Amino acid sequence: MTAKKTKEYSNKELTIVWEPEICSHSEVCINCLPEVYNPYGKPWITIENATTEQLKDQIGKCPSGALSYYMKAETSTTTKTNTEINIMPNGPIVVSGNIRVLGSDGNSETKTNKTAFCRCGASSNKPYCDGSHAKIGFEG
């Protein structure tokens, strides 16, 4: 596993952390807050277009965990302590909580918040979902 790439977008209270390599492109962010998330914009996240509470609520709905946040006084992203596994209709397996992923190469990676794992077999970022299930019409 390689080092993860992240981008951060901040206002005075909250910092959004985006991990593009694990984004499943479900468009939940765009559908919830189109005034904040514009995939054609530069930057694509305009954090000042929503309140901190709106942003926290939307980030909690991100199925892949590609979006997380931390508050100004905190040093790490918000996490869940309980582990929950959800099979998304026609999509990935989403694990919520703190987990350790052991790669076939022997490397491990700690994941927090949510992680979407490929279920269709078409992801180019295995074991993580990259949204390929939508492109190939996966059903299951």
Side-chain angles (χ1 to χ4, degrees):
M1 292 180 209
T2 59
K4 62 183 175 180
K5 297 177 187 174
T6 62
K7 294 189 178 200
E8 294 189 356
Y9 305 86
S10 296
N11 63 18
K12 293 178 182 178
E13 297 179 295
L14 174 136
T15 298
I16 296 173
V17 180
W18 180 49
E19 295 181 60
E21 293 179 359
I22 65 169
C23 184
S24 63
H25 306 288
S26 66
E27 299 182 0
V28 169
C29 55
I30 296 164
N31 293 329
C32 287
L33 291 174
E35 64 277 14
V36 173
Y37 301 96
N38 177 357
Y40 306 106
K42 298 263 186 217
W44 85 280
I45 296 177
T46 310
I47 193 171
E48 60 273 7
N49 288 348
T51 67
T52 295
E53 287 308 310
Q54 289 172 315
L55 293 165
K56 287 166 58 176
D57 181 61
Q58 180 283 308
I59 291 166
K61 295 175 183 171
C62 177
S64 67
L67 292 172
S68 60
Y69 70 90
Y70 60 90
M71 302 302 290
K72 184 177 179 183
E74 298 174 357
T75 57
S76 62
T77 58
T78 57
T79 61
K80 294 178 92 175
T81 55
N82 295 328
T83 302
E84 183 176 281
I85 299 173
N86 291 297
I87 309 300
M88 305 303 292
N90 306 322
I93 297 170
V94 177
V95 180
S96 301
N98 299 329
I99 61 171
R100 192 173 108 190
V101 179
L102 301 174
S104 60
D105 59 4
N107 290 323
S108 70
E109 183 176 6
T110 300
K111 306 296 275 180
T112 60
N113 198 16
K114 293 182 186 175
T115 305
F117 291 96
C118 178
R119 192 162 65 106
C120 71
S123 175
S124 60
N125 191 32
K126 290 181 189 89
Y128 306 111
C129 175
D130 68 0
S132 293
H133 57 273
K135 295 174 193 161
I136 66 166
F138 174 73
E139 293 183 10

